[in-house]
Amino acid sequence: MKNIFGIFFDGKGLKKDNSLNIIRLFLAILVVYEHTAPLGGYKVNLDLFGKSVGAWAVYIFFGISGYLITASAFSNSVPQYLIKRIARIFPAYLAIQFVTAFIFAPLVTLLNGDSIAKLWETPVTPIGYFLGNSLLAIKSWGIGTTLSTNPYPKAWNGSTWTIWNEFLCYIIIVIIVSLIFKYKKIYIPLMAFLWLGLSFLSSHLPEVIKASGNGLIDVKLFVPLFAVFMAGSLLYTLRNYLRLNLFGGIVSLILAYFIIISFPNFGYQYAAPFILFVVFVIANKIPSPKWIKKNDLSYGVYLVAFPIQQLIAFALLKIGISIPFIVFAVLASILSIVVASLSWKYIELPSLNKVKGNNLTNQEKIDEVPAMPTETVGVTYRRSSRI
């Protein structure tokens, strides 16, 4: 009886030796799975509770990011924090944008029987694509007509739209933390207020969009994501009170379920802390391979998967063969993991080591990963299930 009681009720906060890396890699693979349908030209129902599985992956990833990035904001000076954020996001991001513009696009052009010079006669040239997108806010999705024969022809990397929104979350949370750092008593109530306020705004998006007008921030996309991010921030401020046990996980899952089915359009924001609680229980309980704990591939998979899937779709059309949906998804996942491993080893980890010194701990690796998207913006494929 005592052992059963312990299984259900014993718990502690989020352990440093957790399995968040493998969870986030799984979420990244879900995004690959989600993108396989439009990029491969498949018609597959990938919805869960009215949202795509990729949307749920983004939602959970943003919440995890809120927890970890808030921890970083509290643990570093503002300059140190910003340097770490830039070192985590930009090197790999710029690398994939460069490779897409100056290797993938010219390669596809040549295989189509056209001259590379043709790329420099289009409204968006390779250099225009790279420079226009280099500051995270996406200006151009395609390069000429390089993908005109693909099932999804308008974007080389439709995943990158959330990077800008993620970076905005980083900036806002460090401002909040710097303002309240000396006032510990308001940490929890303020984070709760911001999460609830943003969740409320998410349920009234038409009015918010009308009031905000046009600007650098697309409030239709940013507000719901920031609400989930702040749910993660709230859990961080509650970390000393959390007991991540099986009983709490079951209760949280039930509460989240009823909130989501009661408010299908925006319930996930209100359910966010409960779902994140479940995720953290899992992260504490399940084992993870040591290699995954030491090598965080989720950001790399997220960055490279979309263009890799476009290349697979292009190659299949050129060869004139078709493959089942699941084979496409598995092939894209494997290739993305391989490329992400190279990105982690030769770009991401060296960049982090450079700003932190060579004593980078496993937990610091875990703490530095930005969230990932599941769908494109500014192009045709914009699912109603987007979060």
Side-chain angles (χ1 to χ4, degrees):
M1 181 65 70
K2 186 176 180 180
N3 288 338
I4 294 175
F5 184 89
I7 290 172
F8 277 90
F9 295 100
D10 285 351
K12 57 182 71 176
L14 185 64
K15 299 185 297 187
K16 287 187 176 181
D17 186 24
N18 58 58
S19 298
L20 283 180
N21 270 11
I22 192 70
I23 290 173
R24 291 191 295 189
L25 180 58
F26 173 73
L27 296 174
I29 298 302
L30 282 182
V31 173
V32 177
Y33 180 78
E34 159 78 9
H35 282 160
T36 296
L39 299 184
Y42 302 97
K43 293 183 179 180
V44 183
N45 182 8
L46 302 175
D47 285 358
L48 179 66
F49 295 112
K51 298 186 182 300
S52 68
V53 293
W56 285 110
V58 177
Y59 154 60
I60 296 171
F61 209 107
F62 252 83
I64 295 172
S65 182
Y67 184 100
L68 298 176
I69 300 305
T70 302
S72 181
F74 273 106
S75 304
N76 296 278
S77 68
V78 174
Q80 289 174 327
Y81 170 89
L82 292 175
I83 289 170
K84 289 178 180 180
R85 301 281 69 73
I86 291 169
R88 187 61 185 105
I89 290 183
F90 275 91
Y93 171 82
L94 292 176
I96 189 58
Q97 296 288 37
F98 182 89
V99 169
T100 299
F102 299 106
I103 297 178
F104 291 166
L107 176 63
V108 167
T109 299
L110 288 174
L111 291 175
N112 275 330
D114 295 323
S115 169
I116 293 180
K118 184 179 178 181
L119 287 175
W120 302 94
E121 300 171 357
T122 62
V124 180
T125 64
I127 194 168
Y129 176 90
F130 177 72
L131 294 178
N133 296 336
S134 61
L135 296 179
L136 305 183
I138 304 301
K139 304 298 182 182
S140 303
W141 296 101
I143 304 173
T145 59
T146 48
L147 295 172
S148 59
T149 59
N150 277 37
Y152 185 68
K154 295 187 178 182
W156 264 105
N157 200 336
S159 293
T160 51
W161 66 271
T162 56
I163 295 294
W164 173 240
N165 292 286
E166 179 82 0
F167 195 73
L168 289 174
C169 291
Y170 291 175
I171 298 299
I172 295 172
I173 195 62
V174 77
I175 292 173
I176 293 171
V177 170
S178 64
L179 290 175
I180 68 170
F181 189 78
K182 296 181 179 179
Y183 308 101
K184 292 185 178 181
K185 290 183 178 180
I186 69 170
Y187 287 0
I188 295 172
L190 180 62
M191 296 302 182
F193 173 79
L194 291 172
W195 158 60
L196 287 170
L198 288 162
S199 298
F200 176 81
L201 291 177
S202 298
S203 66
H204 295 79
L205 276 180
E207 295 92 330
V208 176
I209 293 169
K210 186 176 180 180
S212 63
N214 296 322
L216 288 174
I217 301 176
D218 186 338
V219 297
K220 184 178 181 181
L221 302 173
F222 177 71
V223 171
L225 291 174
F226 192 34
V228 176
F229 185 94
M230 288 309 303
S233 298
L234 172 61
L235 287 195
Y236 175 75
T237 59
L238 287 167
R239 67 195 182 283
N240 292 329
Y241 305 98
L242 295 180
R243 294 296 177 264
L244 300 173
N245 54 49
L246 185 58
F247 177 77
I250 293 171
V251 172
S252 295
L253 191 61
I254 293 171
L255 288 172
Y257 171 77
F258 281 108
I259 292 171
I260 290 167
I261 63 172
S262 298
F263 308 99
N265 293 325
F266 55 85
Y268 63 91
Q269 287 104 347
Y270 289 109
F274 304 107
I275 293 183
L276 289 175
F277 188 96
V278 175
V279 171
F280 292 156
V281 169
I282 295 171
N284 271 2
K285 299 293 185 183
I286 67 169
S288 175
K290 290 184 178 179
W291 187 81
I292 295 295
K293 286 185 177 181
K294 294 180 180 180
N295 300 275
D296 195 345
L297 307 184
S298 56
Y299 181 46
V301 169
Y302 141 62
L303 280 178
V304 306
F306 201 106
I308 284 175
Q309 287 174 289
Q310 288 287 40
L311 289 175
I312 293 172
F314 175 83
L316 291 175
L317 286 169
K318 274 293 177 185
I319 299 172
I321 63 173
S322 60
I323 57 178
F325 170 88
I326 192 63
V327 175
F328 191 115
V330 170
L331 176 61
S333 298
I334 293 172
L335 292 176
S336 297
I337 290 172
V338 171
V339 176
S341 300
L342 297 174
S343 174
W344 172 253
K345 183 176 181 179
Y346 296 108
I347 299 175
E348 298 165 56
L349 186 57
S351 299
L352 291 172
N353 281 334
K354 201 163 189 178
V355 299
K356 297 180 179 181
N358 292 321
N359 298 318
L360 189 65
T361 67
N362 289 346
Q363 184 62 29
E364 284 176 318
K365 295 174 188 178
I366 291 173
D367 289 349
E368 304 297 334
V369 182
M372 62 190 176
T374 179
E375 51 205 309
T376 61
V377 174
V379 287
T380 302
Y381 178 61
R382 296 181 65 173
R383 297 177 60 93
S384 59
S385 58
R386 184 184 57 247
I387 70 169

